[in-house]
Amino acid sequence: MHNALLIPEVRSTILDCLAADTGKGGQPKISTSPNYTQPGAGQKALAALARTCRTLSESALDALWCLLPSLEPLLQCSRDKDSYVDYDESVPPFDEKEWNVVLRHAPRVRELIVMKSDELSIKILESLWFHTTVLLPNLRKLHWNPHEYTNFLLIRLLLSPSLVHLDVHLPIDEDGIEGFVLGFLRCYHTFCPKLKSLHFRHRDLNRNSSSPVAAISRAVCCLPTLEALTCHALSEEAFLHVAKSRDIKKFSARLLHHHPDDLRRFAESITLDYPLFENLRVLHLRVCDVSTVIPYLKSYHQPFEEISIEFSEDPSPEILHEFFTALSSPTRQQSLRRVKLGSCQLSSGSGDRRRSRVATKTAPSSWGALYSNYQVSVGRGNTSPVHFEVLAPLAGFSLHDFEVHLNNPILLNDNDLGRLVQGWPDLETFSVTTGKEESSRFVTLMGMLLLLARCPKLCRLKLCVDARTVPVLTPEESRMCNMVIEHLEVASESPIKKANVAGVAQFLHEHFPSLTGVTCPRNYGSNYPGLWETVNSRIKKIRGLVNSKDSENYYVDSNSDSDSDYYH
C-alpha cells in the first residue's frame, strides 16, 4: 500500500469522494423501482475496497453504510436475494444468525432515507416491531416519508438519542390530525433530545385548521436549543419562540395565514438588548406582504448569509427599495451572499393553489422544499415598474446568488446592469423574471457580454434580453466568454427578429462555448418563444447534438420541469 494511504486525512478524503459518487450532485442513486437495488459507482468501489484491502476494510465499510436510501441492504447482507425479492405481504423475522449479521453493520449507519415507494423498508420495520434492540443506534439523520398513514407509526423504531436531524412528512389534512401523529408530536423530543435540525412537512392547511397548527407549534417549542427549523405552519406564540431563540441559525416558514398587522406588532417587541433572530444565518419566509419583514431588519445587524422572501401581494417599488435598504447594514454587506425574492399566489380558503402556466419555469429549484409549490401571482397588488434606483442598495453587497421573480416590470438597461453587478465578482446565479416590460429597457446581447466579464464565475443565467440586434465587437470584446454555463434561460418577452436568428445562435455559440441549449417559456400571443426555439435548434445543430430536421416544435413546454416529491 502506498505510504500516502497511511495518512488518515488522505484515506478519509478518498473514501468520502467514493461515498459521494453515488449519483448526480452527490445524492444517492435511488432506483425508480420500489426497492433500492442499483448502487452507484462509488458504492461499488467501496464494496470492492472493503473486500480486498484489510487496512482500509473497516473505513470502507463505514463509508459504504454511512447513508442508506433504503433498509434493503440489511436484507442483502443477511439473506440471499432470491429469498426476499418476492415478499408480497410481509418480511419474515430475522433468525438469530441473520440478526447478528444485521447488528454488525447497523451501527455504521448515520443517515437513512425512507421514500414513499420504499415498501420493502416498511415491511422490514414491521418484522422488527417487537425487537427490544435499537435497530440503528448511531443514526444521526432520518428522512421519513411513508406512503400509508398507518405506516407512520413505524418511525418509533428509528427514533434514538443519537438523532440530530429529523425530516418528517406528517400525514395531516384539513379535517384534523390523527391520534398517532398527535402522539408523535407530543413525545418525539423525549426520544431525540439532541435534535438540532427539524423539518416538518405536510399538506397545505387552510385558515381554519387550528388544531394541527397548534399541535405542530407545541412540538416546535419543545426543543429550546434547535438550530435549524423548517415548518410550514406556526402559531403566533411558536413564531415568537423561534424568533427570540439565540440558537436558531436557519429558519424557514410559511406565514401566509398571519395578518400583516400582527407580524408588524410582533416586531415591536424587538429591543437592542434582545433583537429577534439574533444569530440567524438563513431566513426563508413566505408571507402575504413583504413590508411585514422590514421591521425585523431595520436597525439590527443579524449576520444573514441567505435571505429568501416569497410574497402573495406584489409590492410597490417604494416598498422594495425600503426592504433592500433595511437589508443593507454594514454587517450584512460582509456576510450576505444569497438574495431571493419571488411572488406567489395565495389561495382563498381551501388551501389549494391555482397553478399558472409559467409557474414551474419561474420557480427556481434551488429554493428547496419550502417553495416546492411555488406559484406566480397574476397582477395582484402594485405592479409599478422597478428601476435601478430600487435595486441600488444591493450593489454594496458581494452576492453569489441573485434571484428576483416579480410581476413588477424590472427596467434595467446595459449600464444599469453593469452598475448593479460591479461588486459581485463571485456571482454564480443571476436569475430575473418580471412582468411585461417596455422593450426600450431590456438588457441587450452586449449587456449580457459585459455581465460575463464582470461575473466570471457565473454558472446559471436567466433574464430578459433584447436580441433584435447582434452587436459588432472589438477584438477584446470578442474574446469575452463563459466556459461554465451549459443552459441559458430567456424570458418569454425577450424580443428577437427572425432575420437575426442565425446571428444570435452564432453569437451565443462563440461566447458560451459550453452552451448546449436555450429555453424560453411559452407565451400565447407572442412569436418570440418560437424564434428562440429556432435559436436553440441551431445551437444544438452547431454542437452536433441533434439532426437539422429535429426540433420542429416552436414552443417549449413550460410545465416540463418537475420537482421531486421529497428532495430538491
Side-chain angles (χ1 to χ4, degrees):
M1 186 171 67
H2 196 282
N3 289 336
L5 295 178
L6 299 177
I7 303 174
E9 291 79 4
V10 174
R11 293 202 306 268
S12 177
T13 300
I14 294 174
L15 294 174
D16 288 345
C17 290
L18 290 175
D21 184 25
T22 58
K24 184 177 180 181
Q27 293 294 329
K29 182 186 290 185
I30 300 176
S31 172
T32 55
S33 63
N35 300 337
Y36 173 73
T37 57
Q38 298 181 4
Q43 288 180 315
K44 293 179 180 178
L46 286 172
L49 192 61
R51 289 192 298 265
T52 57
C53 181
R54 182 179 303 175
T55 303
L56 297 179
S57 178
E58 287 298 313
S59 299
L61 285 172
D62 287 341
L64 182 65
W65 285 88
C66 182
L67 188 158
L68 292 187
S70 169
L71 288 175
E72 182 175 346
L74 295 178
L75 285 181
Q76 292 177 332
C77 71
S78 59
R79 297 177 181 175
D80 294 333
K81 185 174 182 179
D82 294 338
S83 67
Y84 70 83
V85 292
D86 294 326
Y87 290 151
D88 293 328
E89 299 298 330
S90 62
V91 172
F94 294 98
D95 59 31
E96 183 177 358
K97 180 180 179 180
E98 293 170 342
W99 184 239
N100 288 333
V101 174
V102 169
L103 292 182
R104 189 165 65 248
H105 296 292
R108 305 179 191 271
V109 180
R110 297 295 186 270
E111 183 173 359
L112 174 65
I113 302 168
V114 179
M115 304 284 288
K116 278 188 174 181
S117 58
D118 189 5
E119 297 180 6
L120 186 56
S121 289
I122 297 299
K123 293 176 182 178
I124 293 173
L125 290 173
E126 289 174 344
S127 72
L128 299 174
W129 185 254
F130 291 101
H131 271 264
T132 58
T133 304
V134 177
L135 176 61
L136 304 176
N138 298 317
L139 188 66
R140 294 180 61 82
K141 297 182 179 181
L142 174 61
H143 308 269
W144 182 257
N145 185 20
H147 181 65
E148 298 291 341
Y149 273 28
T150 54
N151 293 336
F152 185 84
L153 290 166
L154 296 171
I155 193 175
R156 171 64 184 85
L157 300 177
L158 300 173
L159 299 180
S160 68
S162 62
L163 276 175
V164 295
H165 174 81
L166 183 60
D167 187 347
V168 179
H169 193 286
L170 301 172
I172 295 176
D173 55 32
E174 293 86 351
D175 298 330
I177 182 170
E178 298 288 345
F180 55 84
V181 179
L182 189 61
F184 164 80
L185 292 174
R186 288 177 177 175
C187 302
Y188 78 100
H189 63 284
T190 62
F191 296 102
C192 316
K194 298 180 182 179
L195 274 180
K196 296 297 181 183
S197 176
L198 182 64
H199 191 158
F200 283 154
R201 305 172 189 265
H202 52 79
R203 291 180 55 187
D204 291 334
L205 302 175
N206 60 34
R207 298 176 184 271
N208 299 319
S209 303
S210 58
S211 177
V213 172
I216 294 171
S217 298
R218 287 193 297 267
V220 167
C221 296
C222 290
L223 294 169
T225 60
L226 202 62
E227 295 180 0
L229 173 65
T230 298
C231 188
H232 293 176
L234 282 178
S235 66
E236 297 177 1
E237 293 77 10
F239 174 71
L240 283 176
H241 169 82
V242 174
K244 292 178 180 179
S245 171
R246 292 183 173 180
D247 296 298
I248 198 76
K249 295 180 174 62
K250 180 178 180 179
F251 180 48
S252 301
R254 297 177 182 176
L255 305 176
L256 291 172
H257 298 321
H258 291 268
H259 195 279
D261 291 338
D262 291 335
L263 293 177
R264 295 187 185 96
R265 177 170 51 82
F266 297 160
E268 295 176 358
S269 63
I270 301 176
T271 65
L272 289 175
D273 294 330
Y274 297 98
L276 300 184
F277 300 118
E278 182 176 2
N279 296 309
L280 197 66
R281 299 294 189 273
V282 179
L283 177 64
H284 295 170
L285 290 180
R286 192 172 188 179
V287 295
C288 292
D289 186 352
V290 69
S291 67
T292 59
V293 182
I294 296 175
Y296 296 91
L297 306 178
K298 279 185 175 180
S299 304
Y300 301 98
H301 310 292
Q302 304 98 327
F304 292 140
E305 297 174 2
E306 175 179 340
I307 183 166
S308 299
I309 307 296
E310 188 181 5
F311 42 85
S312 60
E313 295 185 5
D314 298 316
S316 67
E318 292 76 18
I319 290 178
L320 285 174
H321 182 265
E322 186 180 3
F323 172 79
F324 292 131
T325 301
L327 195 61
S328 302
S329 71
T331 300
R332 298 191 194 116
Q333 287 183 349
Q334 298 298 320
S335 64
L336 191 62
R337 294 293 177 263
R338 287 169 289 279
V339 173
K340 305 176 185 179
L341 289 177
S343 59
C344 68
Q345 180 179 346
L346 178 63
S347 63
S348 56
S350 66
D352 296 326
R353 287 184 168 79
R354 304 182 189 94
R355 181 177 296 273
S356 69
R357 288 191 172 273
V358 296
T360 337
K361 277 291 180 185
T362 55
S365 59
S366 62
W367 288 30
L370 179 65
Y371 302 118
S372 59
N373 291 322
Y374 185 92
Q375 303 296 317
V376 176
S377 61
V378 284
R380 182 188 180 102
N382 190 309
T383 55
S384 300
V386 174
H387 298 269
F388 169 76
E389 289 72 21
V390 174
L391 304 175
L394 293 173
F397 292 91
S398 180
L399 297 182
H400 292 178
D401 295 281
F402 179 66
E403 301 184 31
V404 174
H405 305 273
L406 306 175
N407 289 315
N408 308 66
I410 298 181
L411 307 185
L412 296 178
N413 56 29
D414 293 351
N415 291 332
D416 294 335
L417 180 61
R419 292 162 61 194
L420 180 64
V421 304
Q422 63 183 351
W424 304 351
D426 297 320
L427 188 69
E428 298 177 358
T429 299
F430 184 88
S431 178
V432 176
T433 57
T434 72
K436 189 173 182 180
E437 304 180 36
E438 301 172 10
S439 60
S440 60
R441 300 299 298 273
F442 284 149
V443 173
T444 67
L445 291 175
M446 188 65 204
M448 181 190 295
L449 201 59
L450 295 176
L451 175 63
L452 301 184
R454 294 279 177 88
C455 308
K457 298 182 180 180
L458 202 63
C459 57
R460 178 170 175 247
L461 180 59
K462 180 175 183 178
L463 76 171
C464 194
V465 59
D466 184 350
R468 290 174 294 184
T469 302
V470 180
V472 178
L473 305 178
T474 66
E476 182 179 356
E477 293 169 341
S478 299
R479 290 190 292 269
M480 295 179 182
C481 65
N482 178 290
M483 303 295 296
V484 181
I485 294 177
E486 297 181 356
H487 190 83
L488 175 65
E489 298 178 79
V490 298
S492 59
E493 296 295 330
S494 300
I496 181 174
K497 293 181 178 179
K498 185 175 182 180
N500 288 343
V501 166
V504 172
Q506 186 63 34
F507 179 91
L508 296 177
H509 165 68
E510 293 175 355
H511 297 284
F512 295 87
S514 301
L515 191 67
T516 59
V518 178
T519 58
C520 179
R522 182 181 304 179
N523 184 3
Y524 295 100
S526 173
N527 293 326
Y528 296 146
L531 296 176
W532 281 107
E533 177 58 23
T534 306
V535 172
N536 177 60
S537 300
R538 285 183 174 272
I539 290 175
K540 290 183 179 296
K541 180 181 178 182
I542 294 173
R543 303 287 187 206
L545 300 177
V546 295
N547 297 326
S548 58
K549 294 182 179 181
D550 290 344
S551 300
E552 294 293 335
N553 182 18
Y554 274 73
Y555 292 99
V556 178
D557 184 2
S558 62
N559 293 318
S560 61
D561 288 353
S562 60
D563 292 327
S564 169
D565 186 52
Y566 203 65
Y567 298 96
H568 311 270

